[in-house]
Amino acid sequence: MALGSNTKFYETPNHPFQGERIAEEADLVSQYGLSNKEELWRAQSELRDYRREARRLLGEAQGDAEEAAEAGSDFLARLKRIGVLDEGDSLDDILSLDVTDILERRLQTVAYRKGVGNTAKQARQFINHGHVTVEGARVTAPSFKVDVAIEDDIEFDETSPLADELHPERAEGQ
């Protein structure tokens, strides 16, 4: 691919005007504090890629789950590291994943669950404005995938005014 070429990292829905799908997407966008549906479509495309890879591995092993898991050990390890899969899960479990499993691993959602913001939108704003660090490094991308191992290292930047627990934007007990 040539440098500077435009590439989308997501696929849009095949049928753009389905009321039920639109309502489901709107619910997910508001629940996870996403800025637009494009972010949701990216997560759906990421999930689609995971499923496609799992099906490919199972197909190459002709249904032998153990052989497929051995061939896809790096793939499984990566999904377990970012927390999409649990330790005991196998390739078959990838096929039953939901888009919420992907959205739950975004920095925005993990930070909100840890109490960095009162809402998912506020957590997103704090991240965008550079108030949040992961392992001591400032991260300004709300879509950053958080590894399970570094989940506890998400906190306010020590130079941020929000590091003061008495700051008015901080929730009670943070």
Side-chain angles (χ1 to χ4, degrees), residues 46-166:
E46 185 178 338
L47 177 61
R48 197 174 303 117
D49 290 344
Y50 292 161
R51 286 180 176 157
R52 188 175 294 135
E53 178 66 10
R55 282 194 308 268
R56 185 189 67 76
L57 289 166
L58 285 168
E60 284 178 359
Q62 278 137 21
D64 184 2
E66 287 182 24
E67 184 183 327
E70 201 174 297
S73 61
D74 291 342
F75 176 58
L76 278 171
R78 187 170 124 249
L79 293 181
K80 289 175 183 176
R81 190 184 73 237
I82 63 173
V84 173
L85 291 179
D86 294 326
E87 273 311 308
D89 289 348
S90 66
L91 276 174
D92 290 332
D93 296 312
I94 296 172
L95 301 176
S96 63
L97 288 175
D98 189 36
V99 70
T100 57
D101 296 316
I102 305 295
L103 294 172
E104 284 291 333
R105 299 313 307 161
R106 290 168 48 97
L107 175 59
Q108 173 181 355
T109 308
V110 174
Y112 167 62
R113 301 262 189 261
K114 284 193 56 136
V116 168
N118 297 327
T119 63
K121 286 260 189 201
Q122 188 181 46
R124 178 188 188 86
Q125 183 181 30
F126 289 163
I127 293 165
N128 277 332
H129 292 204
H131 295 295
V132 177
T133 61
V134 178
E135 288 190 310
R138 183 175 293 160
V139 178
T140 58
S143 61
F144 176 80
K145 291 285 182 286
V146 179
D147 288 0
V148 176
I150 62 173
E151 208 170 296
D152 295 331
D153 297 331
I154 298 172
E155 54 196 19
F156 284 110
D157 186 3
E158 59 193 31
T159 62
S160 165
L162 292 166
D164 178 13
E165 292 182 12
L166 300 175

